[in-house]
């Protein structure tokens, strides 16, 4: 007997796909409860306010975290930076595009290939040496590439992508 002719299996399959679509609805991005630190917009599938994904501190902390101990052009000696992986953020919002524009509080913005976050453990650092980054020390979010693990990243292009005081990311 062909499997495709079994009405029981067909119904089972439909039920399974219905349940999984309800399941993914339930996993849609929660709403922020604290001050919004980061707004992600553009070519994304997961949103929580209009077409945008708004993140507060706790939501960012609940993404997959990474630490890297590295020197940077902005810090004396090595520091341990910690925060969500850029890759985890992209997955959470369902980013579809190839390029993102990362905007800072000081109106600086940089164009960054989405690939960078997929290929390297780029961190949206929220702390350095366990201290929360304040706006005055380049916070609340600082795009940190793992320069010490991958010294070839220390080049002019990547340095211009190392946006500090990040407030928004638009996926293009
Ligand atoms: N928020 C923010 N990030 C930024 C910049 C900026 O002006 N604002 N300049 C970028 C560029 S073009 C470079 S070369 C370096 C400059 O760092 P510096 O100003 O500390 O030398 O930071 C990058 N990240
Ligand atoms: Mo620059």
């Amino acid at each position: 007997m062909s499997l495709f002719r079994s009405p029981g299996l067909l119904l089972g399959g439909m039920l399974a796909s219905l349940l999984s679509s309800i399941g993914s609805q339930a996993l849609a991005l929660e709403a922020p409860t604290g001050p919004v630190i980061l707004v992600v917009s553009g070519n994304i599938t997961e949103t929580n306010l209009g077409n945008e994904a708004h993140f507060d501190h706790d939501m960012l902390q609940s993404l997959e975290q990474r630490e890297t101990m590295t020197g940077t052009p902005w810090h004396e000696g090595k520091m341990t930076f910690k925060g969500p992986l850029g890759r985890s953020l992209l997955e959470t919002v369902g980013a579809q595009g190839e390029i993102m524009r990362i905007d800072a509080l000081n109106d600086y913005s940089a164009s960054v290939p989405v690939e960078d976050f997929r290929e390297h453990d780029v961190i949206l650092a929220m702390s350095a040496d366990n201290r929360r980054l304040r706006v005055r020390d380049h916070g609340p979010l600082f795009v940190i590439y793992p320069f010490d693990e991958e010294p070839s990243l220390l080049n002019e292009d990547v340095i211009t992508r190392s946006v500090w005081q990040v407030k928004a990311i638009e996926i293009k």
Side-chain angles (χ1 to χ4, degrees):
M1 183 194 79
S2 160
L3 290 178
F4 299 104
R5 294 219 192 100
S6 158
L9 277 176
L10 184 61
L11 207 60
M14 283 166 67
L15 189 62
S17 76
L18 183 68
L19 284 174
S20 84
S21 75
I22 291 170
S24 63
Q25 287 275 319
L27 285 175
L29 211 53
E30 65 189 285
T33 54
V36 172
I37 298 175
L38 178 70
V39 174
V40 186
S41 65
N43 204 345
I44 58 177
T45 59
E46 307 306 306
T47 59
N48 57 12
L49 193 71
N51 296 326
E52 301 176 335
H54 289 219
F55 290 85
D56 63 16
H57 177 269
D58 289 355
M59 291 167 71
L60 291 169
Q61 201 123 56
S62 75
L63 303 177
E64 188 183 349
Q65 305 290 300
R66 190 70 102 240
E67 253 181 40
T68 189
M69 209 222 298
T70 187
T72 82
W74 304 275
H75 302 89
E76 294 261 336
K78 291 181 197 292
M79 306 263 265
T80 299
F81 295 93
K82 191 175 177 195
L85 271 175
R87 190 160 53 245
S88 175
L89 178 75
L90 293 179
E91 278 163 17
T92 299
V93 299
Q96 305 291 310
E98 296 303 319
I99 297 280
M100 50 194 159
R101 201 193 64 234
I102 305 187
D103 297 331
L105 293 168
N106 69 341
D107 288 337
Y108 177 80
S109 76
S111 195
V112 177
V114 165
E115 197 178 79
D116 275 17
F117 285 14
R118 301 230 161 92
E119 288 184 356
H120 309 283
D121 287 348
V122 182
I123 299 170
L124 292 164
M126 296 201 285
S127 70
D129 289 346
N130 279 323
R131 286 168 184 262
R132 184 98 163 249
L133 292 173
R134 301 162 302 174
V135 171
R136 75 189 71 163
D137 28 50
H138 298 117
L141 295 169
F142 194 158
V143 174
I144 297 286
Y145 284 74
F147 295 115
D148 277 29
E149 286 163 43
E150 296 179 67
S152 62
L153 289 172
L154 204 51
N155 62 63
E156 187 60 37
D157 283 345
V158 170
I159 288 171
T160 66
R161 297 173 193 164
S162 299
V163 183
W164 64 78
Q165 296 179 338
V166 172
K167 67 169 182 196
I169 299 178
E170 186 189 356
I171 313 289
K172 308 214 185 208

